[in-house]
Amino acid sequence: MAQNDMQHVGSTSAIVSRKKLTSRRGAEIGATTSLFTFNDNMAKYLQATNRQEIGDFARSYAAELRADEGAEYDEMVEINLSELEPHINGPFTPDLATPISKFKDAVKENKWPEELKVGLIGSCTNSSYEDMSRAASIAQDALSHGIKAKAHFTVTPGSEQIRATIERDGQMKTLEDFGGMVLANACGPCIGQWDRRDVKKGEPNSIISSYNRNFTGRNDANPATHAFVASPDLVVAMTIAGSLNFNPLTDTLKDKDGNDFKLAVPTGEALPSQGFDPGNDTYQAPPEDRASINVAVSPQSDRLQLLEPFQAWDGKDSNDMPILIKAKGKTTTDHISMAGPWLKYRGHLDNISNNMLIGAINSANGEANKVHNSTNGEWDAVPATARDYKRKGIKWVVIGDWNYGEGSSREHAALEPRHLGGLAIITRSFARIHETNLKKQGMLPLTFSNPEDYEKIQPDDKVDLLCTQLAVGKPMTLRVHPSKGGDAFDVELSHTFNEGQMEWFKNGSALNTMAKAHKK
């Protein structure tokens, strides 16, 4: 069971087998038994966090949630628990997964830096009480053999509740004795808020974290950092060895006397026996009379700026619009709105908008942050070109590839294109949260009804978007005017707007819609 106990939920695509469904009965079993198990475990967690009524409400419907009689499925996902082993994802993307048994070979073959400089656990994704308990059990095992973390080691509690609870129950002290530095209950290095000083920018090195993303330069603003993602268990184990070549399932370590030993199977409780400690209550309720509050922001501040409401839709179609960029390949929220040093401007929309889409790859030239301005013929940075269009009163669109907006749910990735004059983001497909964020800011997230239509559109084409066609459940038309001549042609676009979200677009944003309703 050592394999399975070391395994934490990770890259599903790498560890499950996919088969065509041959048995309806098998699908029904998967749809029912896993649901009951989930509800039992979740109900206990909700009860422990003073939300039992939510669990009771959900469980009251559990018996009704089963496959319809005669239902058929395109595929069935089978997970053989006896064959699972830990995986390490990366570097530079969470999509590249390697089982731990083959990871040493991958390190050698790809010439990844073997020395592990830093191990980081926690963040909002992997800092549950059980995660921290298991991590502490591995650390305690090392301490009992007289050794500590060889690599730098940091711990980011995902909430004040987790921080207070593991401090009370002793896991925090164990992790600190092990050599760990406990960081604030915040995003921290996960989104680049990391004052890293152990390597110089541009120096190739390897780190491993239990965070949820590891895109290039995300954690420390160093594009040469090879960032890997694994379970908290595996991260802690790897920091003891300080090497990417260590496999805790099979390899041994040296204790303080030079004797070989293997790490014990990690253990941990899902919920604290004494209940959760809520920690420090730092919430400040808003005043009852909000009209009397004046937020003073210096006009000279480069980090804070009062937001101005976005303009409402003019009720017309938009014609002869340039394509700001036709993005090629992966365009994550890190490509759309980079984190790291840029986060100091997160309270200043105009300043942080200078990072808009600077990481996206332009299909016209294969480069990042270099696009063609259709009004003056110059090649310039993406934000500068968008600003020039905005000054000239020209709306623009972005053409994107598959799963556009994958990554963090950061709001700025949707705020920035809206602020710089964009009307629509048109893609083969969207990451769900980013699609909704765009809607909230009054943007039009649209997808090609036929994904192959992405190939028909060239970066220098002009387009008309028939916004007046926007209706729930109905397609819209994009009229393309080829830059190289020839007849215009129409492309069908799909969307997922509901009635309420359509009001966001018409009013200019969800915030405008709320303000409008408040005035009534």
Side-chain angles (χ1 to χ4, degrees):
M1 290 297 292
Q3 286 185 330
N4 298 333
D5 286 338
M6 274 283 189
Q7 174 64 42
H8 198 85
V9 176
S11 176
T12 308
S13 61
I15 59 175
V16 302
S17 59
R18 299 179 181 273
K19 299 179 180 179
K20 287 292 182 181
L21 178 65
T22 56
S23 168
R24 186 172 71 246
R25 177 175 176 271
E28 290 175 354
I29 290 174
T32 55
T33 56
S34 62
L35 184 69
F36 288 128
T37 302
F38 170 81
N39 277 327
D40 285 341
N41 292 335
M42 181 57 73
K44 293 176 182 177
Y45 174 76
L46 291 171
Q47 182 178 8
T49 52
N50 301 314
R51 294 174 288 177
Q52 182 174 343
E53 68 281 359
I54 299 176
D56 292 342
F57 179 78
R59 294 181 73 182
S60 68
Y61 287 93
E64 304 301 323
L65 298 177
R66 60 178 66 249
D68 295 334
E69 183 65 31
E72 296 183 2
Y73 298 85
D74 292 332
E75 64 178 359
M76 178 175 65
V77 177
E78 293 181 348
I79 301 177
N80 187 338
L81 299 180
S82 65
E83 296 177 353
L84 284 181
E85 65 173 301
H87 278 63
I88 298 178
N89 292 42
F92 308 124
T93 173
D95 297 332
L96 177 63
T98 307
I100 187 63
S101 61
K102 299 179 180 178
F103 190 68
K104 181 188 295 185
D105 294 335
V107 170
K108 182 178 180 180
E109 180 180 349
N110 292 287
K111 298 181 179 179
W112 296 330
E114 296 179 8
E115 181 186 3
L116 179 63
K117 288 288 189 178
V118 190
L120 312 96
I121 67 168
S123 86
C124 62
T125 304
N126 286 308
S127 63
S128 69
Y129 187 80
E130 183 174 11
D131 289 328
M132 293 301 186
S133 297
R134 291 170 66 90
S137 77
I138 300 171
Q140 184 58 58
D141 188 20
L143 290 170
S144 68
H145 287 86
I147 61 174
K148 299 182 178 182
K150 186 173 183 180
H152 292 295
F153 178 55
T154 69
V155 181
T156 304
S159 67
E160 170 60 13
Q161 179 173 264
I162 286 294
R163 185 209 62 78
T165 305
I166 65 172
E167 181 178 39
R168 181 199 66 193
D169 292 353
Q171 292 95 336
M172 182 183 292
K173 185 178 186 307
T174 298
L175 295 171
E176 289 178 329
D177 291 345
F178 175 67
M181 175 185 292
V182 179
L183 306 178
N185 321 325
C187 293
C190 183
I191 58 167
Q193 294 177 312
W194 183 10
D195 185 20
R196 188 179 181 193
R197 301 181 181 182
D198 62 300
V199 297
K200 296 179 180 179
K201 191 169 183 178
E203 179 183 339
N205 71 100
S206 293
I207 66 173
I208 186 168
S209 78
S210 65
Y211 301 159
N212 61 347
R213 295 290 183 268
N214 60 336
F215 302 126
T216 302
R218 175 185 171 105
N219 302 129
D220 60 1
N222 181 3
T225 293
H226 292 56
F228 298 88
V229 174
S231 71
D233 301 356
L234 198 50
V235 171
V236 177
M238 299 288 278
T239 63
I240 303 172
S243 170
L244 295 184
N245 292 331
F246 178 61
N247 180 350
L249 275 65
T250 59
D251 298 345
T252 60
L253 296 163
K254 295 287 186 181
D255 67 12
K256 63 181 179 59
D257 297 319
N259 300 315
D260 290 339
F261 76 97
K262 285 184 64 175
L263 288 172
V265 173
T267 59
E269 297 296 328
L271 297 171
S273 59
Q274 301 179 60
F276 283 104
D277 184 337
N280 299 318
D281 184 4
T282 57
Y283 173 71
Q284 295 183 18
E288 294 185 8
D289 181 14
R290 303 186 188 188
S292 64
I293 301 299
N294 178 45
V295 179
V297 176
S298 170
Q300 284 73 45
S301 174
D302 68 344
R303 300 185 68 167
L304 291 176
Q305 178 189 43
L306 294 176
L307 291 175
E308 296 291 334
F310 293 132
Q311 290 186 347
W313 176 47
D314 61 9
K316 301 177 182 178
D317 296 331
S318 293
N319 300 319
D320 202 34
M321 292 186 295
I323 297 169
L324 177 64
I325 183 172
K326 181 183 178 183
K328 179 181 180 182
K330 185 186 288 290
T331 307
T332 71
T333 48
D334 280 67
H335 295 94
I336 302 168
S337 177
M338 288 186 178
W342 287 97
L343 290 179
K344 67 180 179 182
Y345 299 125
R346 61 190 180 276
H348 197 295
L349 179 56
D350 194 56
N351 281 348
I352 200 171
S353 292
N354 287 324
N355 76 1
M356 185 192 73
L357 285 161
I358 62 175
I361 300 302
N362 185 1
S363 67
N365 54 14
E367 298 183 36
N369 202 26
K370 188 176 182 180
V371 295
H372 185 243
N373 188 321
S374 66
T375 64
N376 59 24
E378 297 179 359
W379 289 84
D380 206 343
V382 181
T385 304
R387 289 184 186 278
D388 186 58
Y389 289 154
K390 183 179 180 180
R391 280 193 298 268
K392 296 171 180 175
I394 300 172
K395 296 178 181 178
W396 48 263
V397 303
V398 167
I399 303 296
D401 216 325
W402 296 102
N403 202 28
Y404 183 96
E406 171 196 350
S408 300
S409 56
R410 63 188 65 161
E411 202 76 14
H412 291 92
L415 278 164
E416 292 172 24
R418 182 72 166 97
H419 173 65
L420 294 185
L423 175 67
I425 311 293
I426 305 166
T427 71
R428 295 195 205 237
S429 65
F430 279 102
R432 176 181 56 82
I433 295 177
H434 183 62
E435 179 185 17
T436 302
N437 285 345
L438 288 167
K439 292 179 183 178
K440 287 191 293 185
Q441 303 308 333
M443 293 285 289
L444 288 171
L446 308 168
T447 57
F448 295 107
S449 299
N450 176 10
E452 297 305 314
D453 286 339
Y454 166 90
E455 305 291 353
K456 297 179 181 179
I457 301 175
Q458 302 306 312
D460 283 334
D461 293 346
K462 293 289 186 69
V463 297
D464 306 334
L465 188 56
L466 307 189
C467 302
T468 53
Q469 294 180 346
L470 182 63
V472 175
K474 295 183 179 180
M476 294 175 64
T477 300
L478 180 73
R479 186 157 295 142
V480 183
H481 302 277
S483 59
K484 292 182 170 54
D487 295 335
F489 60 92
D490 290 350
V491 169
E492 182 181 281
L493 304 177
S494 300
H495 65 83
T496 60
F497 278 89
N498 58 35
E499 291 288 353
Q501 293 168 341
M502 285 177 55
E503 292 301 307
W504 298 347
F505 172 69
K506 292 176 182 178
N507 294 326
S509 70
L511 194 58
N512 287 359
T513 302
M514 293 169 62
K516 185 177 179 180
H518 181 70
K519 289 180 180 179
K520 292 181 179 180

mmCIF file of all heavy atoms in Angstrom, residues 453-478:
data_model
loop_
_atom_site.group_PDB
_atom_site.id
_atom_site.type_symbol
_atom_site.label_atom_id
_atom_site.label_comp_id
_atom_site.label_asym_id
_atom_site.label_seq_id
_atom_site.Cartn_x
_atom_site.Cartn_y
_atom_site.Cartn_z
ATOM 1 N N ASP A 453 -12.853 26.448 -38.040
ATOM 2 C CA ASP A 453 -12.936 27.805 -38.582
ATOM 3 C C ASP A 453 -11.827 28.699 -38.046
ATOM 4 O O ASP A 453 -11.528 29.753 -38.621
ATOM 5 C CB ASP A 453 -14.306 28.423 -38.280
ATOM 6 C CG ASP A 453 -15.412 27.843 -39.158
ATOM 7 O OD1 ASP A 453 -15.075 27.292 -40.231
ATOM 8 O OD2 ASP A 453 -16.591 27.921 -38.781
ATOM 9 N N TYR A 454 -11.223 28.297 -36.939
ATOM 10 C CA TYR A 454 -10.056 29.023 -36.405
ATOM 11 C C TYR A 454 -8.985 29.165 -37.477
ATOM 12 O O TYR A 454 -8.328 30.216 -37.589
ATOM 13 C CB TYR A 454 -9.522 28.272 -35.182
ATOM 14 C CG TYR A 454 -8.146 28.689 -34.715
ATOM 15 C CD1 TYR A 454 -7.997 29.705 -33.774
ATOM 16 C CD2 TYR A 454 -7.003 28.060 -35.201
ATOM 17 C CE1 TYR A 454 -6.726 30.085 -33.326
ATOM 18 C CE2 TYR A 454 -5.729 28.431 -34.770
ATOM 19 C CZ TYR A 454 -5.594 29.436 -33.840
ATOM 20 O OH TYR A 454 -4.333 29.800 -33.409
ATOM 21 N N GLU A 455 -8.805 28.112 -38.288
ATOM 22 C CA GLU A 455 -7.752 28.111 -39.297
ATOM 23 C C GLU A 455 -8.066 29.043 -40.455
ATOM 24 O O GLU A 455 -7.159 29.489 -41.170
ATOM 25 C CB GLU A 455 -7.546 26.687 -39.828
ATOM 26 C CG GLU A 455 -7.254 25.640 -38.768
ATOM 27 C CD GLU A 455 -5.877 25.818 -38.133
ATOM 28 O OE1 GLU A 455 -5.093 26.672 -38.613
ATOM 29 O OE2 GLU A 455 -5.582 25.102 -37.159
ATOM 30 N N LYS A 456 -9.333 29.365 -40.671
ATOM 31 C CA LYS A 456 -9.728 30.182 -41.822
ATOM 32 C C LYS A 456 -9.426 31.662 -41.632
ATOM 33 O O LYS A 456 -9.373 32.429 -42.596
ATOM 34 C CB LYS A 456 -11.225 30.017 -42.099
ATOM 35 C CG LYS A 456 -11.654 28.612 -42.489
ATOM 36 C CD LYS A 456 -13.155 28.569 -42.721
ATOM 37 C CE LYS A 456 -13.632 27.179 -43.096
ATOM 38 N NZ LYS A 456 -15.105 27.131 -43.301
ATOM 39 N N ILE A 457 -9.247 32.065 -40.383
ATOM 40 C CA ILE A 457 -9.086 33.485 -40.078
ATOM 41 C C ILE A 457 -7.606 33.819 -39.937
ATOM 42 O O ILE A 457 -6.872 33.150 -39.210
ATOM 43 C CB ILE A 457 -9.849 33.844 -38.798
ATOM 44 C CG1 ILE A 457 -11.342 33.532 -38.974
ATOM 45 C CG2 ILE A 457 -9.660 35.308 -38.438
ATOM 46 C CD1 ILE A 457 -12.163 33.731 -37.728
ATOM 47 N N GLN A 458 -7.186 34.871 -40.623
ATOM 48 C CA GLN A 458 -5.799 35.305 -40.578
ATOM 49 C C GLN A 458 -5.642 36.532 -39.670
ATOM 50 O O GLN A 458 -6.580 37.328 -39.524
ATOM 51 C CB GLN A 458 -5.294 35.620 -41.986
ATOM 52 C CG GLN A 458 -5.394 34.450 -42.946
ATOM 53 C CD GLN A 458 -4.720 33.193 -42.423
ATOM 54 O OE1 GLN A 458 -3.578 33.248 -41.954
ATOM 55 N NE2 GLN A 458 -5.403 32.059 -42.490
ATOM 56 N N PRO A 459 -4.477 36.713 -39.063
ATOM 57 C CA PRO A 459 -4.302 37.784 -38.076
ATOM 58 C C PRO A 459 -4.609 39.192 -38.588
ATOM 59 O O PRO A 459 -5.003 40.059 -37.802
ATOM 60 C CB PRO A 459 -2.827 37.658 -37.689
ATOM 61 C CG PRO A 459 -2.483 36.237 -37.962
ATOM 62 C CD PRO A 459 -3.277 35.855 -39.164
ATOM 63 N N ASP A 460 -4.416 39.433 -39.894
ATOM 64 C CA ASP A 460 -4.644 40.777 -40.436
ATOM 65 C C ASP A 460 -6.030 40.959 -41.038
ATOM 66 O O ASP A 460 -6.329 42.013 -41.608
ATOM 67 C CB ASP A 460 -3.582 41.119 -41.483
ATOM 68 C CG ASP A 460 -2.246 41.493 -40.851
ATOM 69 O OD1 ASP A 460 -2.257 41.957 -39.691
ATOM 70 O OD2 ASP A 460 -1.202 41.318 -41.503
ATOM 71 N N ASP A 461 -6.878 39.946 -40.921
ATOM 72 C CA ASP A 461 -8.249 40.094 -41.410
ATOM 73 C C ASP A 461 -9.004 41.110 -40.563
ATOM 74 O O ASP A 461 -8.652 41.354 -39.396
ATOM 75 C CB ASP A 461 -8.983 38.755 -41.379
ATOM 76 C CG ASP A 461 -8.427 37.744 -42.371
ATOM 77 O OD1 ASP A 461 -7.652 38.151 -43.254
ATOM 78 O OD2 ASP A 461 -8.757 36.543 -42.245
ATOM 79 N N LYS A 462 -10.038 41.684 -41.114
ATOM 80 C CA LYS A 462 -10.968 42.517 -40.370
ATOM 81 C C LYS A 462 -12.266 41.716 -40.183
ATOM 82 O O LYS A 462 -12.608 40.859 -41.019
ATOM 83 C CB LYS A 462 -11.268 43.819 -41.114
ATOM 84 C CG LYS A 462 -10.079 44.754 -41.234
ATOM 85 C CD LYS A 462 -9.733 45.356 -39.893
ATOM 86 C CE LYS A 462 -8.628 46.404 -40.009
ATOM 87 N NZ LYS A 462 -9.077 47.624 -40.719
ATOM 88 N N VAL A 463 -12.996 42.013 -39.126
ATOM 89 C CA VAL A 463 -14.202 41.235 -38.830
ATOM 90 C C VAL A 463 -15.347 42.140 -38.409
ATOM 91 O O VAL A 463 -15.137 43.217 -37.832
ATOM 92 C CB VAL A 463 -13.936 40.182 -37.722
ATOM 93 C CG1 VAL A 463 -12.901 39.165 -38.163
ATOM 94 C CG2 VAL A 463 -13.513 40.848 -36.427
ATOM 95 N N ASP A 464 -16.554 41.675 -38.709
ATOM 96 C CA ASP A 464 -17.780 42.272 -38.191
ATOM 97 C C ASP A 464 -18.391 41.288 -37.215
ATOM 98 O O ASP A 464 -18.422 40.078 -37.486
ATOM 99 C CB ASP A 464 -18.809 42.544 -39.301
ATOM 100 C CG ASP A 464 -18.251 43.373 -40.452
ATOM 101 O OD1 ASP A 464 -17.303 44.134 -40.214
ATOM 102 O OD2 ASP A 464 -18.778 43.241 -41.577
ATOM 103 N N LEU A 465 -18.868 41.776 -36.095
ATOM 104 C CA LEU A 465 -19.537 40.917 -35.128
ATOM 105 C C LEU A 465 -20.972 41.395 -34.972
ATOM 106 O O LEU A 465 -21.215 42.533 -34.545
ATOM 107 C CB LEU A 465 -18.808 40.958 -33.782
ATOM 108 C CG LEU A 465 -19.280 39.960 -32.718
ATOM 109 C CD1 LEU A 465 -19.214 38.524 -33.229
ATOM 110 C CD2 LEU A 465 -18.447 40.093 -31.444
ATOM 111 N N LEU A 466 -21.913 40.538 -35.325
ATOM 112 C CA LEU A 466 -23.329 40.901 -35.305
ATOM 113 C C LEU A 466 -23.879 40.714 -33.894
ATOM 114 O O LEU A 466 -24.576 39.744 -33.586
ATOM 115 C CB LEU A 466 -24.099 40.062 -36.325
ATOM 116 C CG LEU A 466 -23.532 40.098 -37.765
ATOM 117 C CD1 LEU A 466 -24.498 39.424 -38.736
ATOM 118 C CD2 LEU A 466 -23.223 41.521 -38.207
ATOM 119 N N CYS A 467 -23.569 41.681 -33.038
ATOM 120 C CA CYS A 467 -23.938 41.605 -31.625
ATOM 121 C C CYS A 467 -25.440 41.609 -31.413
ATOM 122 O O CYS A 467 -25.925 41.119 -30.392
ATOM 123 C CB CYS A 467 -23.314 42.765 -30.860
ATOM 124 S SG CYS A 467 -21.515 42.848 -30.978
ATOM 125 N N THR A 468 -26.169 42.182 -32.353
ATOM 126 C CA THR A 468 -27.631 42.242 -32.218
ATOM 127 C C THR A 468 -28.259 40.858 -32.284
ATOM 128 O O THR A 468 -29.444 40.708 -31.965
ATOM 129 C CB THR A 468 -28.233 43.137 -33.302
ATOM 130 O OG1 THR A 468 -27.781 42.699 -34.592
ATOM 131 C CG2 THR A 468 -27.821 44.596 -33.096
ATOM 132 N N GLN A 469 -27.499 39.859 -32.688
ATOM 133 C CA GLN A 469 -28.015 38.477 -32.741
ATOM 134 C C GLN A 469 -27.920 37.772 -31.392
ATOM 135 O O GLN A 469 -28.411 36.657 -31.262
ATOM 136 C CB GLN A 469 -27.243 37.666 -33.783
ATOM 137 C CG GLN A 469 -27.419 38.112 -35.218
ATOM 138 C CD GLN A 469 -26.614 37.255 -36.183
ATOM 139 O OE1 GLN A 469 -25.715 36.486 -35.770
ATOM 140 N NE2 GLN A 469 -26.898 37.370 -37.473
ATOM 141 N N LEU A 470 -27.283 38.407 -30.416
ATOM 142 C CA LEU A 470 -27.080 37.738 -29.128
ATOM 143 C C LEU A 470 -28.415 37.358 -28.498
ATOM 144 O O LEU A 470 -29.244 38.213 -28.191
ATOM 145 C CB LEU A 470 -26.306 38.648 -28.172
ATOM 146 C CG LEU A 470 -25.971 38.049 -26.797
ATOM 147 C CD1 LEU A 470 -25.054 36.843 -26.945
ATOM 148 C CD2 LEU A 470 -25.327 39.103 -25.894
ATOM 149 N N ALA A 471 -28.625 36.066 -28.320
ATOM 150 C CA ALA A 471 -29.854 35.544 -27.726
ATOM 151 C C ALA A 471 -29.540 34.200 -27.100
ATOM 152 O O ALA A 471 -28.665 33.454 -27.575
ATOM 153 C CB ALA A 471 -30.950 35.403 -28.770
ATOM 154 N N VAL A 472 -30.244 33.865 -26.045
ATOM 155 C CA VAL A 472 -29.993 32.621 -25.330
ATOM 156 C C VAL A 472 -30.193 31.420 -26.250
ATOM 157 O O VAL A 472 -31.228 31.287 -26.890
ATOM 158 C CB VAL A 472 -30.915 32.504 -24.103
ATOM 159 C CG1 VAL A 472 -30.732 31.145 -23.416
ATOM 160 C CG2 VAL A 472 -30.651 33.632 -23.118
ATOM 161 N N GLY A 473 -29.167 30.577 -26.313
ATOM 162 C CA GLY A 473 -29.277 29.330 -27.064
ATOM 163 C C GLY A 473 -29.173 29.469 -28.558
ATOM 164 O O GLY A 473 -29.398 28.491 -29.288
ATOM 165 N N LYS A 474 -28.838 30.658 -29.065
ATOM 166 C CA LYS A 474 -28.771 30.863 -30.509
ATOM 167 C C LYS A 474 -27.369 31.319 -30.910
ATOM 168 O O LYS A 474 -26.713 32.062 -30.177
ATOM 169 C CB LYS A 474 -29.806 31.891 -30.950
ATOM 170 C CG LYS A 474 -31.249 31.424 -30.724
ATOM 171 C CD LYS A 474 -32.252 32.439 -31.248
ATOM 172 C CE LYS A 474 -33.666 31.946 -31.032
ATOM 173 N NZ LYS A 474 -34.678 32.928 -31.532
ATOM 174 N N PRO A 475 -26.916 30.917 -32.097
ATOM 175 C CA PRO A 475 -25.574 31.292 -32.543
ATOM 176 C C PRO A 475 -25.514 32.752 -32.991
ATOM 177 O O PRO A 475 -26.532 33.407 -33.202
ATOM 178 C CB PRO A 475 -25.314 30.342 -33.711
ATOM 179 C CG PRO A 475 -26.677 30.055 -34.257
ATOM 180 C CD PRO A 475 -27.593 30.029 -33.062
ATOM 181 N N MET A 476 -24.291 33.238 -33.119
ATOM 182 C CA MET A 476 -24.034 34.574 -33.643
ATOM 183 C C MET A 476 -23.181 34.464 -34.902
ATOM 184 O O MET A 476 -22.594 33.412 -35.172
ATOM 185 C CB MET A 476 -23.301 35.436 -32.606
ATOM 186 C CG MET A 476 -24.107 35.740 -31.373
ATOM 187 S SD MET A 476 -23.128 36.646 -30.147
ATOM 188 C CE MET A 476 -22.784 38.171 -31.035
ATOM 189 N N THR A 477 -23.119 35.559 -35.641
ATOM 190 C CA THR A 477 -22.374 35.555 -36.895
ATOM 191 C C THR A 477 -21.141 36.446 -36.801
ATOM 192 O O THR A 477 -21.226 37.589 -36.356
ATOM 193 C CB THR A 477 -23.250 36.043 -38.060
ATOM 194 O OG1 THR A 477 -24.383 35.193 -38.190
ATOM 195 C CG2 THR A 477 -22.471 36.055 -39.370
ATOM 196 N N LEU A 478 -20.018 35.898 -37.228
ATOM 197 C CA LEU A 478 -18.796 36.666 -37.404
ATOM 198 C C LEU A 478 -18.545 36.769 -38.897
ATOM 199 O O LEU A 478 -18.414 35.745 -39.582
ATOM 200 C CB LEU A 478 -17.612 35.968 -36.722
ATOM 201 C CG LEU A 478 -16.262 36.688 -36.831
ATOM 202 C CD1 LEU A 478 -16.240 37.920 -35.926
ATOM 203 C CD2 LEU A 478 -15.114 35.750 -36.467
#
